[in-house]
Amino acid sequence: QVQLVETGGGLVQAGGSLRLSCEASGRTFSSDAMGWFRQAPGKEREFVAGISWTGSTSAYADSVKGRFTISRDNAKNTVCLQMNSLKPEDTAVYYCAASTRTLYPSRHSYVYDYWGQGAQVTVSS
């Protein structure tokens, strides 16, 4: 059974940091692009960050550029999202995703085949 499991969410004050991890199991994801998306209450799911299959190429939403960093470890089948200088508007459920259709990060959710269950991130002001 293919699974993506996110950990590391929680409550943090504005200006603080959190690190999300996503561990994949059931198949190897070393040839997949990986991404992080988020969904805030009453809003659509949006792209946050993506990374290519080798980790050499990454992409970020303008709203998180310079504050968030995506990374991956193919040997451990994991992808991480380091979030610094967090703002209340970063509050959302964060989802890890994997795409078998592309080697490079995509901002489009329909490109991704596998999704985690989500991790809540709450940033207080």
Side-chain angles (χ1 to χ4, degrees):
Q1 182 181 0
V2 176
Q3 275 192 315
L4 298 177
V5 179
E6 301 99 336
T7 56
L11 173 65
V12 65
Q13 288 189 332
S17 299
L18 281 175
R19 183 177 179 85
L20 297 178
S21 295
C22 172
E23 183 173 357
S25 61
R27 62 181 290 274
T28 180
F29 288 82
S30 58
S31 297
D32 299 348
M34 303 290 292
W36 287 95
F37 289 75
R38 68 186 181 186
Q39 187 167 19
K43 295 188 176 181
E44 293 187 354
R45 189 171 299 189
E46 65 175 358
F47 171 79
V48 175
I51 191 166
S52 64
W53 66 295
T54 61
S56 62
T57 303
S58 58
Y60 297 91
D62 288 344
S63 59
V64 307
K65 199 172 294 184
R67 300 188 297 122
F68 291 11
T69 303
I70 189 171
S71 62
R72 68 187 296 164
D73 184 339
N74 285 342
K76 297 180 179 179
N77 242 12
T78 59
V79 62
C80 294
L81 185 68
Q82 178 66 42
M83 304 183 292
N84 298 328
S85 303
L86 283 161
K87 305 175 180 179
E89 51 263 45
D90 294 319
T91 295
V93 177
Y94 283 70
Y95 297 91
C96 172
S99 174
T100 64
R101 311 181 197 191
T102 179
L103 298 174
Y104 296 96
S106 172
R107 300 171 183 268
H108 304 291
S109 60
Y110 60 79
V111 173
Y112 294 84
D113 308 282
Y114 300 102
W115 292 84
Q117 82 288 350
Q120 177 69 48
V121 171
T122 303
V123 185
S124 63
S125 57

